[in-house]
Amino acid sequence: MKIEQYRKNEREIVQDICIRTGSSDNLVNPEHAFFTLHMYCNPYLDQGTCFVIRNDEDVIKGYILGCEDFRKMDFDSYFAEIRNKAPHFVCRCDVSEYEKYYEEYPAHLHIDILEDYTGNGHGTALMKTLLEDFSSKGIRGIMVGVAKSNERAFAFYQKMGFRILEESTDGAILGMKLNGGENK
């Protein structure tokens, strides 16, 4: 196993992992797949940070995407594309739920690993790589949204030290302070 910085020529591989690890609707509904890529993957590949994890045969098996400051991300152009090509998902084009936590948690992340490579600390290794990278840049904190139905991810983030900032019937926003900040 090795973790490396993403290279632009690996875009389709990362996108494929995003589609395969997301909702099963991605595999049968092209509109849903388009939305998923333009909401959770492409903005971060184009404007953020991405690390990939490779197996011993040098095949990418997962990734972690992050942005250091979600206010500096241009989501509008991606949302416009969703409006044009996946109009049924326009109502989900929103990152405003993170706004109230911005001062303490300006960074944001997504992580996806293919099922045959989960466990054995691969997610932890990816997460530590991103957190160390962001900490070295002086980022104050990082947050992530998690669906309530994704119990495995919810437990993973809490094991990593994220704490619940807000819960709803559908999910939660979790955050972690970086650079010596306390999670209270």
Side-chain angles (χ1 to χ4, degrees), residues 87-158:
H88 293 101
F89 295 91
V90 170
C91 61
R92 293 177 57 191
C93 292
D94 187 11
V95 292
S96 63
E97 65 187 343
Y98 302 118
E99 189 62 41
K100 61 184 153 189
Y101 303 107
Y102 174 78
E103 293 306 319
E104 292 182 88
Y105 308 97
H108 193 260
L109 75 94
H110 295 281
I111 183 171
D112 289 305
I113 301 171
L114 293 172
E115 187 63 35
D116 68 334
Y117 215 61
T118 59
N120 299 315
H122 298 118
T124 299
L126 276 169
M127 182 68 76
K128 285 181 178 178
T129 300
L130 183 73
L131 296 177
E132 287 170 10
D133 181 63
F134 281 10
S135 289
S136 73
K137 295 173 180 173
I139 307 299
R140 294 182 303 279
I142 189 165
M143 65 181 142
V144 63
V146 182
K148 278 272 170 103
S149 60
N150 195 345
E151 294 174 13
R152 191 174 183 183
F154 202 78
F156 169 72
Y157 289 120
Q158 290 185 302

Side-chain angles (χ1 to χ4, degrees), residues 67-78:
C67 66
E68 297 172 19
D69 185 330
F70 82 88
R71 280 186 180 168
K72 293 181 179 176
M73 295 279 285
D74 170 22
F75 287 104
D76 292 339
S77 62
Y78 298 91

